[in-house]
C-alpha cells in the first residue's frame, strides 16, 4: 500500500463518522494535505450534506416505502465509502461520487 494512503487512512475513516467526524477530519487534514484523506473527506461530506438536504423533504412523504428506500440507499452508499476507506482504496460513491469530487475540489 502507498505511504500516502497509510498516512491519510485515519482521517479518511474519521470523515465517515457523522458530520462532526468530517469536520474533524477536514481540520486535521488542513495543514498537511493528504490526497487520500481529501478524497474521502469530499465523499463523506457530500454524502452527509446530501442526506440532510434531501432527508427533510423526503420525510414529508406519507409512504414508508419511499422513506425506507431513501434511508437504505444512503446507508449502502455510506457502507461503500467506509469500506473503501478501510481498505485504502479510492472508491467513488456510485451515482453521486463524481459530483462531490467536483463540488468540494478545494478541500
Amino acid at each position: 500500500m502507498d505511504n500516502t494512503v497509510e498516512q491519510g487512512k485515519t482521517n479518511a475513516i474519521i470523515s465517515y463518522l457523522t458530520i462532526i467526524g468530517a469536520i474533524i477530519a477536514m481540520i486535521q487534514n488542513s495543514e498537511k494535505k493528504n490526497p487520500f484523506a481529501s478524497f474521502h473527506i469530499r465523499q463523506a461530506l457530500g454524502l452527509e450534506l446530501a442526506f440532510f438536504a434531501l432527508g427533510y423533504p423526503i420525510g414529508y412523504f406519507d409512504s414508508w416505502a419511499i422513506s425506507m428506500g431513501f434511508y437504505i440507499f444512503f446507508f449502502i452508499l455510506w457502507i461503500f465509502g467506509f469500506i473503501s476507506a478501510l481498505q485504502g482504496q479510492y472508491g467513488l460513491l456510485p451515482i453521486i461520487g463524481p459530483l462531490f469530487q467536483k463540488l468540494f475540489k478545494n478541500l
Side-chain angles (χ1 to χ4, degrees):
M1 210 177 291
D2 188 6
N3 193 25
T4 306
V5 171
E6 282 301 318
Q7 291 174 351
K9 198 171 187 180
T10 303
N11 282 339
I13 293 168
I14 289 171
S15 69
Y16 284 99
L17 303 176
T18 72
I19 190 85
I20 295 169
I23 293 169
I24 291 170
M26 278 181 5
I27 292 169
Q28 289 180 343
N29 196 45
S30 64
E31 280 185 30
K32 190 177 178 185
K33 296 260 188 207
N34 182 292
F36 181 73
S38 294
F39 174 85
H40 281 286
I41 290 169
R42 288 190 292 268
Q43 294 290 290
L45 185 65
L47 184 64
E48 290 156 359
L49 291 176
F51 177 78
F52 289 125
L54 297 174
Y56 189 71
I58 293 290
Y60 278 111
F61 286 104
D62 254 350
S63 172
W64 64 270
I66 294 172
S67 296
M68 188 60 68
F70 171 78
Y71 289 118
I72 290 172
F73 174 71
F74 271 91
F75 182 68
I76 290 170
L77 290 178
W78 181 84
I79 289 291
F80 183 83
F82 188 73
I83 289 176
S84 69
L86 282 173
Q87 293 176 344
Q89 299 174 346
Y90 288 88
L92 279 172
L93 296 174
I95 301 168
I96 53 180
L99 174 67
F100 297 151
Q101 291 299 317
K102 289 178 189 173
L103 284 176
F104 303 118
K105 63 183 170 191
N106 294 329
L107 295 179

